[in-house]
Amino acid sequence: MSDTAVPSVLFVCVHNAGRSQMAAAFLTHLAGDGVQVRSAGSAPAGTVNPAVVAAMAEVGIDIAAEVPKVLTVEAVQASDVVITMGCGDTCPVFPGKRYLDWELPDPAGQGVEAVRPIRDEIEKRIRGLVDEIAPAN
């Protein structure tokens, strides 16, 4: 972890419009100020996937105002844990960082029905991550 008492996590997927947005929202929702959360995409979309926004609203998390962000070297350097979701080798690798690759279906072009199981799997993984890196929360 970094010098600060608060761990930082970066979620990366290709478009930063689905999986990484859901993961960042769940981590922010569950850990609050106990974790610094970032998300980005190697080729960000123009908007967050509307089916993802709808699926998250079903569980009481509003991500309608989120905007896909481009992945930067600075974001990776500032993070303790980097969790990739289908972006392959486009994420820069730095020594001393912890990398996890979560293989999850891409919700792009899918309806809410198809997004729900992806959302639920992400929530499960985030709960495990919170228990691991921010157990006091």
Side-chain angles (χ1 to χ4, degrees):
M1 297 291 165
S2 62
D3 298 353
T4 63
V6 178
S8 58
V9 179
L10 170 65
F11 296 100
V12 182
C13 66
V14 175
H15 301 295
N16 190 222
R19 295 166 289 186
S20 56
Q21 290 284 353
M22 288 189 283
F26 273 124
L27 185 54
T28 300
H29 179 74
L30 295 169
D33 294 337
V35 178
Q36 185 178 38
V37 181
R38 297 176 181 87
S39 72
S42 54
T47 60
V48 175
N49 180 334
V52 167
V53 173
M56 293 301 286
E58 290 178 350
V59 296
I61 300 175
D62 182 3
I63 63 168
E66 293 298 325
V67 176
K69 296 165 278 307
V70 69
L71 176 65
T72 65
V73 169
E74 293 78 19
V76 177
Q77 289 175 320
S79 302
D80 298 307
V81 181
V82 178
I83 299 175
T84 58
M85 303 172 183
C87 66
D89 297 330
T90 62
C91 188
V93 175
F94 293 97
K97 305 292 176 194
R98 178 177 173 202
Y99 291 86
L100 300 172
D101 185 39
W102 290 357
E103 290 191 29
L104 297 160
D106 188 349
Q110 303 293 318
V112 175
E113 302 78 25
V115 173
R116 285 183 188 121
I118 302 167
R119 174 201 66 201
D120 296 344
E121 177 61 24
I122 289 172
E123 180 182 14
K124 184 178 99 179
R125 292 182 190 205
I126 293 296
R127 288 184 182 279
L129 183 67
V130 168
D131 290 344
E132 180 185 332
I133 68 171
N137 288 312

